[in-house]
Amino acid sequence: MALNATVAAANSLQETLYGGLDFSSLTWLEKQWVAWYIWIGNPIIATGLMSFLMHEIVYFGRCIPWIIIDAIPYFRQWKLQPNKIPTPAEQWECTKQVLFSHFTIELPAIWLFHPMAESFGMTTYQVPFPSWKTMVPQIFFFFFFEDLFHFLAHQALHKGVLYKHIHKLHHKYAAPFGLAAEYAHPAEVFILGTGTIAGPILYCYFTQNLHILTVYIWITLRLFQAIDAHSGYDFPWSLHNIVPFWSGAEHHDFHHMAFTNNFSTSFRWWDRIFGTDKKYLEYRARIKAAKIAMKNASKDKQEEMERRLMEEVEAEGQRAEAEVEREFSNKKTQ
């Protein structure tokens, strides 16, 4: 009896969600999508569970290769700050904070995403999926929107109370590593996460043409970008060496080391337009000039030169950070 009732409920849900659909016309992935929603039996729960699992699997799955790379000395030749390798204790501490934010901020937001998305006209359980010609421009718009939002919000997080009580946690590591991409105060996760999800919501509101699969692809790419930017490694095949306006670890690592400059995430153009990369450009020019001047020096002396320049930049960054906190304290006492 119970089995018959379950089968009847599944058939009823299939009829409600997919009545009149020609299943033979679907791709393998689309059939799995339909099977998931029918198996869970509730579209809100199915979307919430799939969204959260996708986020956790992608985030930690992308972090694992960087954890392995950090443990292998061979890769230090491409490490931007080779003398600062995260310890297992630091990685575990980082993981605990990331999980705390995931379950306190991201899980509730993800769970409420289905009804909110549908209220703006987003399709979720529906098939067939949109074509790549439809999805690619949408994803580019999400990258553009998030990058601009992050550029502005990130600068605000470097001011007064927002830095002292929120963003300071993320700057604990002057040499970031993959897991540290979402090592942040829950309030920061909410603030910067808004840029990730507001683009799709606004796009959907105005166009009524967005499938949640496109959002999943966007979030996957965004997580890859954030984790790789915090990896601390610059390889010859890193994307910024192929696409000059891409940000990447080489760009963002300087922000953690110097505290100032390079506030954007995916692209370099906002920092270039508004001049928030001047110290970064000066630093790269100094490194280049020093390498030319010391081209005949030993490898040890060249590494010592780079280490000294890094220490100078980090010291300047520590003074800049102290100045922000001092200004906040002065305003608080006035």
Side-chain angles (χ1 to χ4, degrees), residues 112-182:
L112 293 172
F113 184 73
H114 178 105
M116 179 181 68
E118 288 205 327
S119 71
F120 284 98
M122 189 181 301
T123 51
T124 52
Y125 61 82
Q126 294 89 340
V127 286
F129 296 143
S131 68
W132 284 107
K133 289 183 180 179
T134 298
M135 291 193 289
V136 169
Q138 294 172 342
I139 292 170
F140 179 79
F141 169 75
F142 303 155
F143 265 111
F144 181 88
F145 179 91
E146 191 281 333
D147 189 64
L148 176 58
F149 182 96
H150 191 107
F151 175 75
L152 298 173
H154 192 181
Q155 289 187 81
L157 285 169
H158 273 252
K159 306 293 183 183
V161 65
L162 291 178
Y163 181 75
K164 178 68 175 180
H165 295 293
I166 297 177
H167 192 52
K168 183 178 175 66
L169 179 63
H170 185 65
H171 272 270
K172 178 176 181 176
Y173 303 109
F177 48 95
L179 278 167
E182 291 189 353

Side-chain angles (χ1 to χ4, degrees), residues 246-295:
W246 185 253
S247 177
E250 187 268 345
H251 193 256
H252 191 67
D253 198 87
F254 182 85
H255 174 77
H256 277 263
M257 181 171 64
F259 182 74
T260 59
N261 273 213
N262 299 2
F263 293 98
S264 58
T265 52
S266 299
F267 309 114
R268 299 183 180 220
W269 50 55
W270 297 120
D271 285 301
R272 185 61 52 86
I273 290 170
F274 291 98
T276 50
D277 63 351
K278 289 183 178 179
K279 290 184 178 180
Y280 160 75
L281 293 175
E282 290 171 0
Y283 171 73
R284 297 311 309 174
R286 289 176 67 192
I287 289 285
K288 183 178 180 179
K291 284 184 175 181
I292 293 173
M294 298 185 68
K295 63 180 179 179

Side-chain angles (χ1 to χ4, degrees), residues 8-45:
N11 289 335
S12 176
L13 181 65
Q14 179 174 327
E15 183 63 29
T16 300
L17 299 182
Y18 303 108
L21 179 67
D22 179 12
F23 285 86
S24 64
S25 66
L26 301 180
T27 65
W28 178 86
L29 183 59
E30 289 167 342
K31 290 177 181 177
Q32 305 315 305
W33 190 272
V34 169
W36 168 262
Y37 276 94
I38 293 174
W39 179 58
I40 295 298
N42 183 308
I44 295 176
I45 295 175

Side-chain angles (χ1 to χ4, degrees), residues 34-61:
V34 169
W36 168 262
Y37 276 94
I38 293 174
W39 179 58
I40 295 298
N42 183 308
I44 295 176
I45 295 175
T47 301
L49 185 58
M50 179 163 53
S51 300
F52 186 70
L53 288 174
M54 181 274 296
H55 181 274
E56 298 306 287
I57 291 169
V58 171
Y59 185 85
F60 289 105

